[in-house]
Amino acid sequence: MAAVSFTPAGPFSLTAAARFLEICTPAAYEHSPDGVLRLAFPGDDGESVIGCAVRQEETAGGPAATVHAEYTRYVDGRAVRSTADGAADEAVRAHIARILSLDIDGTGFA
């Protein structure tokens, strides 16, 4: 399992993101009592599927805490390791950031 971390630019709450998924009919996400957001989605490469577990320690005020994601890429139903050039890992990192809107600067949204 590979791991990536994100430092949110501006306010971000993984708990709030998970709550949104709970009320979003197409997602039909059920609350996870351990505070871990589990996602599975097709990779941008058209041949892989990514499974990931996302965590964030809650903070009281101050800047948003770092978001951590552990993920596994699957191709043809088998877990695959990172590529030597890291391109697949960077694509997965970008995809996770995009799903959670961590790819934008949210400073102005407060």
Side-chain angles (χ1 to χ4, degrees), residues 67-86:
V67 176
H68 303 281
E70 295 176 332
Y71 69 89
T72 303
R73 289 181 59 240
Y74 297 90
V75 176
D76 294 328
R78 295 184 182 169
V80 294
R81 294 194 180 270
S82 303
T83 56
D85 65 359

Side-chain angles (χ1 to χ4, degrees), residues 9 11 13 17 19 28-29 32 63:
S13 167
R19 259 189 251 123
Y29 188 80
S32 175

Side-chain angles (χ1 to χ4, degrees), residues 38-84:
R38 291 175 178 80
L39 302 169
F41 50 89
D44 287 336
D45 60 9
E47 61 182 46
S48 63
V49 174
I50 291 84
C52 70
V54 187
R55 296 171 175 79
Q56 179 186 34
E57 291 183 24
E58 292 296 321
T59 59
T66 302
V67 176
H68 303 281
E70 295 176 332
Y71 69 89
T72 303
R73 289 181 59 240
Y74 297 90
V75 176
D76 294 328
R78 295 184 182 169
V80 294
R81 294 194 180 270
S82 303
T83 56

Side-chain angles (χ1 to χ4, degrees), residues 6 12 17 39 41-45 50 90-104:
F6 306 91
F12 178 81
L39 302 169
F41 50 89
D44 287 336
D45 60 9
I50 291 84
E90 185 52 38
V92 171
R93 183 187 194 292
H95 202 139
I96 295 169
R98 189 169 60 246
I99 288 170
L100 297 173
S101 297
L102 290 168
D103 60 336
I104 60 168

